[in-house]
Amino acid sequence: DTGVSQNPRHKITKRGQNVTFRCDPISEHNRLYWYRQTLGQGPEFLTYFQNEAQLEKSRLLSDRFSAERPKGSFSTLEIQRTEQGDSAMYLCASSLGTGAYGYTFGSGTRLTVV
Amino acid sequence: QKEVEQDPGPLSVPEGAIVSLNCTYSNSAFQYFMWYRQYSRKGPELLMYTYSSGNKEDGRFTAQVDKSSKYISLFIRDSQPSDSATYLCAMRTGNQFYFGTGTSLTVIP
């Protein structure tokens, strides 16, 4: 297992299109997190899963955003009707248990909405 | 007021210098404190974590937490060009981490 894997690495899309990102966490990690990071800012929490259950969602996660983790393994994050303000790095992280001592992050998916 | 404040820099030092990076916070409920390093176009990588007040050392890195002042620091001794990156502080309460904006560090050979 080589860590948290995210695909695609980069995505350029036209405004109004839907996009979907995938995250494969470290296999034994039961918690999976999605964060968004814009240039010059720290990561901002979006949502997290414990196994297949989505336990918390940030108010940043508008109705256009949906995340799933159907079998408690990989997760997808979908953005519908993308807007230019959605342009950011979308980071996935995973942890075993509560992750009290930090998460393992993937390299992120960089989204550009044109 | 943001939960976590961090000077974005940029910070530029000569190789071999001691680097001091700092964050302040406002939420007294934070108990776990971490430092992440992020290279350009990569995800953050956990460097160090501490629980509550005190110091922790790991090689060239020392993390300090002063809960009474709501202030945390990361010291890098004998800095190397490979230390050039953005350093993010992070703090946890409940199930969420709160990150600083990151400090950009360049170590000049």
Side-chain angles (χ1 to χ4, degrees), chain B residues 4 23 28 45 48-50 53-54 57 66 79 85-86 88 100 105:
Chain B
V4 181
C23 288
S28 58
E45 168 196 11
M48 296 192 71
Y49 66 84
T50 55
S53 285
E57 188 173 321
D66 182 348
S79 56
T86 296
L88 297 153
L105 171 67

Side-chain angles (χ1 to χ4, degrees), chain A:
Chain A
D1 190 282
T2 56
V4 178
S5 176
Q6 291 189 247
N7 288 288
R9 291 296 307 277
H10 301 97
K11 178 72 177 177
I12 300 174
T13 190
K14 291 184 178 179
R15 189 173 48 190
Q17 298 293 305
N18 299 344
V19 294
T20 300
F21 312 139
R22 177 178 170 125
C23 172
D24 288 88
I26 293 173
S27 57
E28 62 267 29
H29 285 185
N30 60 337
R31 286 200 175 188
L32 185 149
Y33 311 82
W34 285 100
Y35 279 77
R36 181 173 68 186
Q37 187 177 25
T38 53
L39 196 63
Q41 300 296 315
E44 293 177 298
F45 171 78
L46 291 178
T47 188
Y48 90 93
F49 293 83
Q50 179 161 301
N51 300 313
E52 65 276 9
Q54 187 173 18
L55 296 187
E56 195 167 341
K57 292 194 291 186
S58 163
R59 58 181 169 77
L60 294 175
L61 211 66
S62 76
D63 291 344
R64 297 184 297 106
F65 288 70
S66 62
E68 294 182 342
R69 195 182 183 197
K71 296 183 180 179
S73 55
F74 73 92
S75 176
T76 57
L77 178 68
E78 181 183 17
I79 309 174
Q80 297 182 325
R81 305 181 303 281
T82 52
E83 302 172 356
Q84 286 189 321
D86 297 331
S87 295
M89 172 84 89
Y90 289 84
L91 292 162
C92 175
S94 68
S95 69
L96 182 63
T98 61
Y101 300 115
Y103 312 146
T104 301
F105 279 91
S107 292
T109 293
R110 183 171 296 280
L111 173 67
T112 302
V113 182
V114 297

